[in-house]
Amino acid sequence: MPAGAVVARRAARIGAAMIAFRSLLQRAFVMLAAAALALPLIAPAKAAGQGASPVAVALGRGINILGYDGIWEGYQNAPFRLENLAAIRKAGFSHVRINFFGFRHMDSGNILDDAVLRRLDAVIEQVLASRLVPILDEHDTELCQRDVAECGVKLKAFWRQIASRYAGKYPALVFDILNEPGGNMTSAEWNALLGDCLAIIRDANPKRNVVVAILNTEELPIDQLVLPAGDRNLIVTFHYYLPLRFTHQGAPWSPTFSKIGPLSWGSAEDLATASADFDKIRSWSEKEQRPIYLGEFGVYERAPAESRAKYLSFMARRAERNGWAWAYWQFDHDFAAFDGARQRWKADILRAIIPPVR
């Protein structure tokens, strides 16, 4: 064999070895990051009134990502860049809530598309490598609020596959069973479905942290939520957009809200109403000794800027005062905190939810 060929072959072997070694290092880093992030999350929860729970401290401030992004369809029309995770971490966030429409990627037998699942694996690994906690949120709200029976079949099929796939893997990964149960679903129906899904998850993930939602109505019926008393690895979540006339004013997809505005927010009555709603959640949390997660809050961009900032700041600071983790809705698209075209934060929104350190 000519000397040049020998050198080329040796270089190829060395190059392949280096690539394999780098891949091994990256995998090891992800595993170490996952373990480190998981440590504070598995501590027993405390009541909000006794100070922030370890779960809330670990999750801290978060932001919703990837709900309407083409990353799942093979990166077509996918404005979110995985390097944006570094910007999220640098801005002061501790976790991301991955909004995943799993039902869209099921076949007629409710089997999830393996290619999409591999993309999900890659996202979770990149989130962990960015030193953020990932929350995997099943986000098929529309079907579940409309057709409770079909939702039950699909949701249980989803969690059977996800629970099995991630059993013993990515210990920092948090499961969020269903985004905003409600609509035609009653509290009794939700409690039954929640119990079934939780049993499925616990078969393969006995200690994983799981987010469970209250029924998504303006009454915030947290006292109707039924949870297994012995399962202390649960995080109770609610979303807050009240009053909808303010937070959704000018939203073009709504025949009602598209015609509303400009409306302001921040009066004494506004503050008292929101405070009372949060106090209701806090009181239940203290009684039941369950950590609370404000999984979504936001204001559509047509609202007056000053009122929008006042609203966002109030919600974030009040949640933190109660010892709750929170996640802003959302990173890009509408309600956006980040300008994807210019690749920079919208300063007024970021300043409202994460004030500069003085």
Side-chain angles (χ1 to χ4, degrees), residues 13-350:
R13 285 200 304 269
I14 293 172
M18 289 300 294
I19 291 171
F21 181 65
R22 284 196 297 270
S23 177
L24 182 63
L25 281 179
Q26 184 177 21
R27 286 275 177 175
F29 177 79
V30 168
M31 291 174 66
L32 287 171
L37 288 169
L39 285 175
L41 281 170
I42 60 177
K46 296 180 181 178
Q50 298 171 351
S53 73
V55 173
V57 170
L59 289 179
R61 299 162 169 173
I63 196 162
N64 286 268
I65 64 169
L66 292 175
Y68 305 95
D69 197 276
I71 187 172
W72 311 116
E73 286 76 30
Y75 297 87
Q76 296 183 12
N77 187 27
F80 187 88
R81 306 177 186 179
L82 289 180
E83 55 263 33
N84 290 152
L85 292 167
I88 289 171
R89 176 68 186 183
K90 185 177 180 181
F93 295 97
S94 301
H95 78 272
V96 293
R97 183 170 178 257
I98 303 166
N99 310 130
F100 187 67
F101 289 86
F103 299 175
R104 296 179 184 177
H105 308 295
M106 288 176 165
D107 63 15
S108 59
N110 292 324
I111 303 301
L112 287 159
D113 186 333
D114 190 60
V116 174
L117 288 174
R118 289 196 301 272
R119 291 174 194 135
L120 179 59
D121 292 343
V123 168
I124 292 168
E125 291 193 1
Q126 191 63 49
V127 169
L128 291 168
S130 302
R131 296 182 296 122
L132 293 162
V133 175
I135 296 178
L136 175 56
D137 150 51
E138 211 308 308
H139 207 79
D140 283 282
T141 305
E142 192 277 329
L143 184 144
C144 284
Q145 290 196 359
R146 173 174 49 82
D147 191 328
V148 179
E150 186 178 358
C151 170
V153 172
K154 288 184 175 295
L155 192 64
K156 285 183 276 191
F158 176 87
W159 285 115
R160 285 190 194 99
Q161 295 167 77
I162 293 296
S164 174
R165 186 178 188 88
Y166 296 127
K169 194 175 182 181
Y170 310 137
L173 174 64
V174 178
F175 292 162
D176 188 340
I177 291 180
L178 178 63
N179 181 73
E180 297 184 357
N184 294 331
M185 188 183 295
T186 66
S187 282
E189 289 170 326
W190 171 232
N191 285 328
L193 180 55
L194 170 60
D196 290 344
C197 292
L198 192 54
I200 290 167
I201 290 169
R202 288 295 178 237
D203 278 346
N205 301 260
K207 295 298 181 182
R208 188 179 298 278
N209 284 284
V210 177
V211 171
V212 294
I214 70 173
L215 208 67
N216 190 58
T217 71
E218 293 190 10
E219 291 73 30
L220 302 174
I222 193 167
D223 55 333
Q224 296 176 20
L225 184 66
V226 177
L227 302 175
D231 193 338
R232 308 313 297 182
N233 292 87
L234 301 177
I235 307 162
V236 176
T237 190
F238 74 106
H239 297 172
Y240 199 81
Y241 292 98
L242 299 177
L244 289 173
R245 285 175 57 84
F246 170 73
T247 62
H248 285 63
Q249 61 183 289
W253 63 85
S254 167
T256 300
F257 297 130
S258 62
K259 299 177 175 63
I260 294 175
L263 300 177
S264 61
W265 186 91
S267 69
E269 183 180 358
D270 292 334
L271 300 176
T273 299
S275 296
D277 287 339
F278 277 41
D279 285 347
K280 177 181 179 178
I281 302 294
R282 179 181 54 79
S283 178
W284 181 92
S285 170
E286 291 176 352
K287 183 180 74 170
E288 300 295 332
Q289 297 196 6
R290 297 283 190 183
I292 299 295
Y293 175 46
L294 177 57
E296 290 184 20
F297 67 101
V299 180
Y300 189 64
E301 40 265 40
R302 296 282 179 85
E306 183 178 353
S307 288
R308 185 185 191 191
K310 187 179 296 184
Y311 183 96
L312 298 179
S313 180
F314 179 90
M315 300 305 160
R317 302 292 80 74
R318 181 55 62 100
E320 290 170 356
R321 191 183 311 165
N322 287 341
W324 305 342
W326 57 257
Y328 176 74
W329 182 269
Q330 60 180 325
F331 180 76
D332 51 15
H333 296 279
D334 49 31
F335 291 77
F338 190 83
D339 186 333
R342 296 179 174 84
Q343 285 295 294
R344 66 188 186 195
W345 291 100
K346 296 183 178 179
D348 57 334
I349 297 175
L350 186 62

